[in-house]
Amino acid sequence: MRFPSTRGGCEPATASEALRAGLAPDGGLFVPETLPALSPAALDPDLPYPERAREVLAPFFRGDELESGLPELCRAAFDFPVPLAPLSDKVRILELFHGPTAAFKDFGARFLAGALERLQESGDPPRTILVATSGDTGGAVAAAFHGRRGIAVRVLFPQDGVSERQRKQLTCWGENVSAYAVRGTFDDCQRMVKEAFRSPEISGRFLLSSANSINLGRLLPQTVYYVHASVLFLRETGEKPALVIPSGNVGNAVGAYWARAMGAPVARIVLAANANRTLPDFLTEGIYRPRPSVRTLANAMDVGDPSNLERLRFLYPDLDTLRREVCARSVSDGEIRQTIRDTFRASGRVLCPHTATAEYVRERKLPDSPAIVVATAHPAKFETVVEPLIGQAVPVPPVLAALLDAPSRCETIDPRMEDLFR
Ligand SMILES: *Cc1c(COP(=O)(O)O)cnc(C)c1O
């Protein structure tokens, strides 16, 4: 399998090349040249998750350096549960928050980390992963790369821009993971990373890679849980579910569109955005107007210029088709609060603010449809929002508690790229 760039300005890459590179050389994003039909084994409801991952991902790695290692890669990356929990008669919640940092980004980050470690041969110079984060991404990437041979990670975060629990998850690692609290904003952190990639001096000293959500190695594994969940849903209810997905950069949703194109039994896909309305407005108006992000309660979705939209536009090059296939709604902070409160009252279920956007959209747009609401994070990560609304404490899951108890290590630096490499 080959992976062309969405912009068509360079030679298609192999899977391994795309994983190492992150961004395509022409500035586009790598996409599969075809979306291969799922094998009968991939659609078997009884298949354990790691084996399903191997079945779904195999065609993408056929003929690649990583082909023979894929089964072990999947076993090691996906060693936590992926439950489909009941919310009501026809509605299930896909809990993607049982990995080490309690958010769905663990799936992609763990797969990418395992793959890059395998691709590092013993004689290779060490690779350095740079990641700027405003919260969840940095934690998942740090956790996934911690202890990997031949790979170091530098995580940058705005000193005053992350919650206390997020900070703990960024600074508890040590060894090959270094955390930098930057005296500046998230934009400063991103600028420092970009400057480092452009600097001949830094690229002479370090072999740099990125692990942000445009990396193909994070996207491909996000198809697997949609195949898994829809197959289980179909067996249980006899119906194909709609998928409702909390979306920011739209990487998680791209996994769903690819899974459906490969033959996963999915009726339709609906995206929930927070008050950052770039995507819903684009679909309504047909004109793309990126804008600065605004802060919301669902902060991992605070994106004003969603980069993975480029992959959806590649999948549906015709604007009318895109607008028919992709449906997105914006949800306000008030609606998020109300949904967390109402859902808890009606069912006892505690939703994180991101998951609440999806449940709000499902209730309004698809009240009577069989549906899967995608839960992207554990509510205990957002306790300052959730607990006052439900009037009680959210128990912290053991994986998260262990991270929160570990000692913190981090260096505070000025927002200058050079300070990152002193
Ligand atoms: C990153 C994130 C999202 C948004 O996912 P995208 O792939 O950027 O659309 C939603 N919820 C949580 C909890 C996240 O961490």
Side-chain angles (χ1 to χ4, degrees):
M1 167 83 74
R2 293 253 156 190
F3 297 85
S5 161
T6 46
R7 299 191 188 170
C10 53
E11 280 298 300
T14 65
S16 294
E17 287 165 355
L19 264 58
R20 284 198 188 96
L23 203 63
D26 63 355
L29 308 182
F30 289 113
V31 286
E33 64 187 345
T34 57
L35 290 163
L38 293 168
S39 67
L43 292 163
D44 173 0
D46 292 317
L47 210 61
Y49 194 89
E51 285 166 47
R52 178 156 356 256
R54 185 191 66 198
E55 281 295 327
V56 173
L57 297 177
F60 296 112
F61 290 91
R62 203 149 285 145
D64 189 81
E65 277 173 81
L66 286 167
E67 182 173 16
S68 64
L70 188 64
E72 180 47 33
L73 198 52
C74 291
R75 247 195 312 279
F78 311 120
D79 62 351
F80 49 87
V82 191
L84 195 58
L87 183 65
S88 65
D89 199 20
K90 283 191 190 173
V91 182
R92 300 288 179 274
I93 299 213
L94 175 58
E95 297 183 355
L96 299 180
F97 53 68
H98 295 280
T101 68
F104 86 90
K105 292 188 175 75
D106 286 325
F107 287 83
R110 285 170 67 79
F111 183 84
L112 177 64
L116 290 182
E117 183 181 43
R118 259 168 202 278
L119 292 173
Q120 257 332 79
E121 287 158 26
S122 38
D124 286 355
R127 193 170 278 279
T128 300
I129 308 278
L130 285 186
V131 55
T133 186
S134 55
D136 278 351
T137 300
V141 168
F145 282 90
H146 181 237
R148 303 272 177 190
R149 276 173 293 113
I151 307 180
V153 178
R154 293 173 192 233
V155 190
L156 291 71
F157 61 95
Q159 185 185 15
D160 300 318
V162 301
S163 76
E164 197 43 41
R165 284 191 179 171
Q166 283 174 325
R167 168 186 280 270
K168 288 261 172 85
Q169 285 187 45
L170 295 168
T171 58
C172 68
W173 303 102
E175 296 170 34
N176 66 329
V177 177
S178 315
Y180 297 88
V182 175
R183 294 186 191 94
T185 62
F186 172 62
D187 294 332
D188 289 316
C189 298
Q190 260 190 325
R191 172 183 50 77
M192 292 162 71
V193 168
K194 286 188 184 150
E195 280 177 21
F197 275 97
R198 278 201 304 266
S199 154
E201 196 253 319
I202 299 298
S203 6
R205 283 166 59 202
F206 297 91
L207 183 59
L208 294 182
S209 276
S210 87
N212 60 17
S213 80
I214 50 103
N215 194 304
L216 182 76
R218 284 185 52 187
L219 263 277
L220 290 176
Q222 290 171 188
T223 57
V224 178
Y225 43 74
Y226 292 116
V227 177
H228 188 72
S230 58
V231 164
L232 295 185
F233 190 99
L234 178 64
R235 174 171 69 177
E236 216 184 293
T237 67
E239 296 191 84
K240 289 185 183 184
L243 301 174
V244 194
I245 307 174
S247 295
N249 233 339
V250 194
N252 198 6
V254 167
Y257 282 95
W258 287 356
R260 190 178 59 163
M262 291 163 73
V266 169
R268 59 185 297 206
I269 298 168
V270 179
L271 311 192
N274 58 24
N276 290 278
R277 319 185 37 101
T278 304
L279 179 63
D281 286 353
F282 165 59
L283 294 168
T284 314
E285 300 163 10
I287 302 161
Y288 187 66
R289 289 182 293 128
R291 52 199 99 161
S293 62
V294 297
R295 277 179 167 242
T296 73
L297 295 176
N299 62 11
M301 292 156 50
D302 292 349
V303 179
D305 185 5
S307 36
N308 278 298
L309 180 58
E310 188 162 331
R311 284 187 164 113
L312 286 185
R313 298 182 78 162
F314 186 85
L315 185 62
Y316 302 117
D318 171 58
L319 187 62
D320 289 334
T321 314
L322 179 82
R323 291 169 73 184
R324 196 169 56 242
E325 295 295 334
V326 183
C327 161
R329 276 288 185 92
S330 165
V331 180
S332 70
D333 275 358
E335 290 161 342
I336 289 175
R337 285 200 192 87
Q338 179 202 333
T339 305
I340 292 173
R341 227 185 266 121
D342 293 352
T343 307
F344 181 68
R345 228 175 261 145
S347 69
R349 260 314 300 197
V350 186
L351 306 179
C352 91
H354 310 81
T355 309
T357 64
E359 171 54 9
Y360 179 87
V361 169
R362 185 202 64 77
E363 262 192 324
R364 300 301 139 119
K365 269 194 86 73
L366 311 160
D368 303 314
S369 306
I372 293 176
V373 173
V374 177
T376 48
H378 193 287
K381 291 185 85 165
F382 303 93
E383 83 287 4
T384 55
V385 177
V386 172
E387 290 179 351
L389 294 170
I390 63 167
Q392 62 185 61
V394 180
V396 178
V399 270
L400 204 54
L403 298 190
L404 300 179
D405 282 345
S408 274
R409 275 163 287 217
C410 99
E411 201 181 319
T412 304
I413 61 172
D414 285 327
R416 303 191 323 157
M417 188 270 280
E418 296 75 21
D419 289 16
L420 186 57
F421 295 98
R422 261 188 326 197

